[in-house]
Amino acid sequence: MGLYKGSGETAVGEIVVIENGVEYAVDSDTTGKLTVRGTTEDVSITSISENAPTDGKPGAVADASTTYTINDSDVAVTDGAVSLLFDGIINNQGNDRTGQLEQRAAKALSEKNIAPAANHHFVYELKYLDLVDANNGNVWVKAGGDVTIYWPLPEGADVNSLKVLHFKDLHRDMATGQIEDEIAECEVEIIPSTVSGNYVTFEIGSGGFSPFALVWEEDTPASSFTIEATVSGSGSITPGGTISVAAGSNQTITFTPDSGYYVSSVVVDGQSVSWTGKSYTFTNVTANHTITVTFAKSGGSSTTYHTID
């Protein structure tokens, strides 16, 4: 980009800046580089405040004396609206950067000997954080001191296993191909954090903005369950013994009494249940179960019983 002075009758002369009565010439014949960074459709831009947010939206808190400069330069923000840009990860041109960041996070946790508990797995919420001046085209700015981030606590997140990860030095002005390589090699640090109400809070230093991740543990759904099927008395059931059942599927147990016997009772998970004809069916299996079928001799002391044709 550069300064356009017009042409023909609309052309202007030399450009100067006057500050405190002193003129400074501006070299309008050179150009500078303009970097435009995109956002997702779910971006949130919230002004930095001295008070913690209470509306459930992302926020940032900094002392009123905190100073800000533009683009890591010496140019101070004097009349701006410094805000927190809180956005998702951009996945474009077929690049799954979210998945790549999750893989890098999992590798970093493993390198730090941090693993989920038995029958658990890690869950990630990834965001890109930055400070911008909302009064100046959302140009990115640098804080002169720490800024406290308020990240809304994800629904269902386990606060006891919650961690905040920072992917250092990853910025959105990196070209496609470059950022993917940088993700694989970037340094990942664990940021000290606390849970305050419905927020996860942590501090970011003056130059620490880039992608972040909240990580917590969740139960890993079992892919299958077992049914322990046993008999009492003279008869058999099919299938019997230890039966493996796919999660969410159905399993029918068929009863076959020996000659002169009938089904006296069916006990599932310690409770007597009713059954139909020659079988009992477990539906939508989402846990381990037991079933015991008792066969009694016909003509015994029982006055009511089910007959098997």
Side-chain angles (χ1 to χ4, degrees), residues 135-267:
N135 282 355
N136 188 14
N138 285 334
V139 63
W140 76 270
V141 301
K142 179 179 179 180
D146 288 343
V147 176
T148 302
I149 302 300
Y150 282 74
W151 188 321
L153 185 66
E155 184 177 355
D158 174 27
V159 298
N160 295 317
S161 61
L162 195 68
K163 299 175 181 62
V164 177
L165 302 186
H166 176 213
F167 303 86
K168 298 184 67 174
D169 299 324
L170 295 181
H171 302 293
R172 286 191 170 177
D173 55 355
M174 292 180 177
T176 298
Q178 178 189 11
I179 191 169
E180 287 77 18
D181 292 340
E182 292 293 330
I183 288 174
E185 302 297 332
C186 75
E187 180 182 351
V188 181
E189 58 181 352
I190 299 178
I191 304 294
S193 63
T194 59
V195 175
S196 177
N198 294 323
Y199 287 94
V200 182
T201 67
F202 53 95
E203 289 189 349
I204 300 179
S206 59
F209 288 84
S210 52
F212 287 78
L214 292 188
V215 185
W216 65 94
E217 295 182 23
E218 282 187 358
D219 292 335
T220 300
S223 59
S224 64
F225 298 93
T226 59
I227 297 175
E228 295 290 341
T230 58
V231 300
S232 176
S234 295
S236 61
I237 56 177
T238 305
T242 301
I243 308 161
S244 180
V245 182
S249 63
N250 302 336
Q251 178 64 57
T252 297
I253 309 296
T254 302
F255 319 140
T256 305
D258 289 347
S259 178
Y261 286 81
Y262 68 96
V263 179
S264 173
S265 67
V266 177
V267 177

Side-chain angles (χ1 to χ4, degrees), residues 38-46 57-58 84-91 98 125-129 151-152 172:
T39 62
T40 72
E41 295 180 354
D42 298 323
V43 64
S44 169
I45 299 177
T46 309
K57 297 180 180 180
L84 171 69
L85 184 146
F86 186 89
D87 195 16
I89 304 301
I90 295 177
N91 299 303
T98 296
E125 182 173 89
L126 292 151
K127 296 292 181 181
Y128 181 85
L129 278 61
W151 188 321
R172 286 191 170 177

Side-chain angles (χ1 to χ4, degrees), residues 268-304:
V268 174
D269 298 335
Q271 301 292 324
S272 294
V273 298
S274 60
W275 66 96
T276 301
K278 301 178 181 180
S279 65
Y280 177 85
T281 299
F282 293 89
T283 60
N284 188 28
V285 175
T286 56
N288 296 327
H289 295 287
T290 62
I291 181 172
T292 300
V293 179
T294 299
F295 300 101
K297 192 170 184 178
S298 302
S301 59
S302 176
T303 57
T304 60

